[in-house]
Amino acid sequence: DHRRNAPPPAPIVRAGPVILSIPVPTPDGAPGPPVAVQQPTELAVFSYDQHGQFHADASSLRYWHPPAGYSAVAGQAGTAGTPFLHPSHPPPEPHLIDLNAQFDQYTPSANGIEPLDNLLRGLVDGHVWPFNAGKDVHVVTLRGIATKFLCAPCDNHRDGWELGAVRYNGTVFIHEHVTAARRANEKAMKSDSRRARMVYWGYRFEQQCVLNTLPAEMAESDRVRAEEERRTTPVNAKAQFCSVFTTKIGSTRLVMGAEVDCCLDTTATGKRHYVELKTNKCVCPPGDHRAWRAKLLRIWAQSFLAGVPTIMVGFRDNDGVLVDMQELSTSDLPRMVRGSADAWDPMACLRFAANALEKVREAVREEGVYYVREEM
Ligand code: A3P
Ligand code: MG
Ligand code: MG
């Protein structure tokens, strides 16, 4: 189409990276006013196929269908000390899912750091970009980066920021800055065999919970065949479905792209009920729930930002056997941690993110290329 064939814009000539420092507050920082957040609206979708090739469509969208014998029980908020977890109830032996299956045959995802290129291509192909002046989009970025902003004030184990920002036509595009240290860290993670196996469990769980077609629209025999097929098909983590959406956090209007694991159904208005899939080690009382509460922050931030209302958690034992499943509502997560000593406060997170976004916009006032990192 005409936009794709148009000559590329003149290169941005402003050199000299500007370093912006964003001090990170402590979780017990002074409370401030609430931050208004707008419900995300989907603008476009795109997919990566099994070969990692881009398609401006929903071809890689998957539908929730748990493995036979498992059902996702609605999670309970419980008390603060033990957020929740009823005793696990694994299905009988023939149904038990070992997430290690076909580990040696899997195709890993392209690589750790996702460039902005494909989000931009999704915007262009979806006729969402160039933005018209009235829309006033301040920031374009990936959901993963916004998640970092959101988690920063309450996450003790986060990695620092190394971000790049480009201001073009009044909009600030924020992407991850790939440093040598980060690349080395990625490499180290890949050579940690226990870690690599846990990453695989996450992907295998995703694969075992979805079908290519809405299960309700399948004949029983086709569904049984599809269930059998996914048990015997190696995982391909290259295939992905992505949603492009707009939302507003404080004064900043954002357009973001996010990978979405699957959906439950489509409402009459055509809006999809998206679902985030997660694995976690089985958290059984009276154990320590600290790590789980910290992970809930990241799950909440990730799902909240993209307007994903439902999270299906697969609990696995130390050997990667799926022993339980739970359905959580994104909006319930803050309540599950409230009252515990290490609770995180969603409003503190939103205040910080709104402020950080404003600071980036302020610093990146003129057209050009910038480097954003935090004050250490
Ligand atoms: P789990 O989250 O169940 O461990 P996502 O949940 O964001 O859709 O990601 C799907 C899976 O990709 C994860 O499953 C995990 O296996 C892997 N993954 C995602 N982010 C990762 C990271 N930063 N490091 C290692 N693995 C990651
Ligand atoms: Mg995912
Ligand atoms: Mg997931």
Side-chain angles (χ1 to χ4, degrees):
D1 70 70
H2 70 283
R3 267 178 292 207
R4 273 260 286 272
N5 296 329
I12 297 157
V13 290
R14 185 176 304 277
V18 172
I19 296 174
L20 172 77
S21 44
I22 306 169
V24 177
T26 53
D28 50 12
V35 173
V37 181
Q38 209 174 67
Q39 179 81 9
T41 311
E42 189 168 77
L43 303 173
V45 298
F46 63 93
S47 296
Y48 297 105
D49 65 19
Q50 304 262 308
H51 309 287
Q53 293 299 311
F54 174 96
H55 299 274
D57 58 29
S59 48
S60 289
L61 176 66
R62 300 291 179 255
Y63 298 88
W64 165 252
H65 185 63
Y70 290 85
S71 61
V73 180
Q76 304 128 34
T79 60
T82 52
F84 62 97
L85 203 74
H86 52 82
S88 60
H89 45 270
E93 187 50 55
H95 293 302
L96 211 56
I97 296 271
D98 181 354
L99 298 173
N100 292 286
Q102 293 177 295
F103 176 60
D104 52 348
Q105 294 166 60
Y106 112 95
T107 308
S109 62
N111 66 55
I113 293 163
E114 170 91 0
L116 270 191
D117 308 29
N118 288 312
L119 167 60
L120 298 182
R121 196 166 159 194
L123 288 170
V124 172
D125 286 4
H127 303 281
V128 181
W129 193 58
F131 305 117
N132 55 57
K135 262 201 170 146
D136 205 18
V137 176
H138 303 115
V139 168
V140 173
T141 193
L142 297 175
R143 189 254 317 258
I145 290 168
T147 303
K148 282 176 195 276
F149 282 128
L150 211 53
C151 293
C154 300
D155 187 352
N156 297 323
H157 302 287
R158 62 190 195 84
D159 18 307
W161 299 319
E162 297 281 349
L163 304 174
V166 175
R167 190 180 178 111
Y168 177 69
N169 273 355
T171 299
V172 180
F173 298 81
I174 307 175
H175 59 95
E176 274 196 77
H177 186 84
V178 189
T179 58
R182 183 164 294 192
R183 223 179 269 126
N185 186 33
E186 281 235 322
K187 220 175 141 193
M189 262 172 60
K190 273 194 187 130
S191 58
D192 178 340
S193 62
R194 171 82 185 163
R195 211 165 166 153
R197 195 164 279 269
M198 281 160 62
V199 168
Y200 178 73
W201 292 341
Y203 286 125
R204 181 69 182 183
F205 172 68
E206 290 189 351
Q207 182 212 28
Q208 294 307 304
C209 289
V210 300
L211 294 178
N212 296 343
T213 315
L214 191 65
E217 285 172 2
M218 295 172 85
E220 172 68 17
S221 57
D222 291 340
R223 207 161 50 218
V224 169
R225 200 173 312 120
E227 279 176 27
E228 177 55 26
E229 202 182 299
R230 74 181 174 188
R231 283 189 79 134
T232 54
T233 303
V235 171
N236 185 322
K238 283 203 155 91
Q240 280 186 22
F241 167 80
C242 298
S243 169
V244 181
F245 55 95
T246 182
T247 184
K248 201 171 175 192
I249 300 176
S251 70
T252 304
R253 154 82 48 203
L254 297 119
V255 167
M256 285 186 270
E259 192 253 340
V260 176
D261 292 334
C262 67
C263 87
L264 277 182
D265 208 341
T266 306
T267 65
T269 58
K271 191 170 150 48
R272 297 189 190 100
H273 183 138
Y274 288 135
V275 175
E276 172 60 44
L277 303 173
K278 284 286 171 201
T279 57
N280 199 75
K281 201 176 85 164
C282 193
V283 193
C284 291
D288 184 14
H289 295 80
R290 205 169 289 264
W292 173 234
R293 279 193 291 265
K295 188 160 175 174
L296 279 178
L297 166 63
R298 294 188 291 274
I299 299 176
W300 171 78
Q302 183 186 28
S303 305
F304 173 85
L305 280 168
V308 174
T310 301
I311 301 139
M312 303 289 188
V313 187
F315 290 98
R316 45 111 189 134
D317 66 16
N318 277 329
D319 301 320
V321 175
L322 188 61
V323 291
D324 200 5
M325 233 184 245
Q326 218 168 53
E327 175 176 344
L328 304 177
S329 273
T330 303
S331 56
D332 281 349
L333 264 45
R335 196 159 46 85
M336 288 178 176
V337 300
R338 199 179 296 161
S340 61
D342 54 349
W344 40 268
D345 172 12
M347 200 41 83
C349 292
L350 286 167
R351 253 192 315 268
F352 177 79
N355 191 258
L357 287 165
E358 277 177 8
K359 280 192 170 175
V360 171
R361 286 167 55 202
E362 232 167 74
V364 184
R365 226 176 331 207
E366 288 175 63
E367 303 279 295
V369 182
Y370 300 77
Y371 168 59
V372 181
R373 70 161 173 80
E374 73 181 281
E375 193 169 64
M376 293 307 229

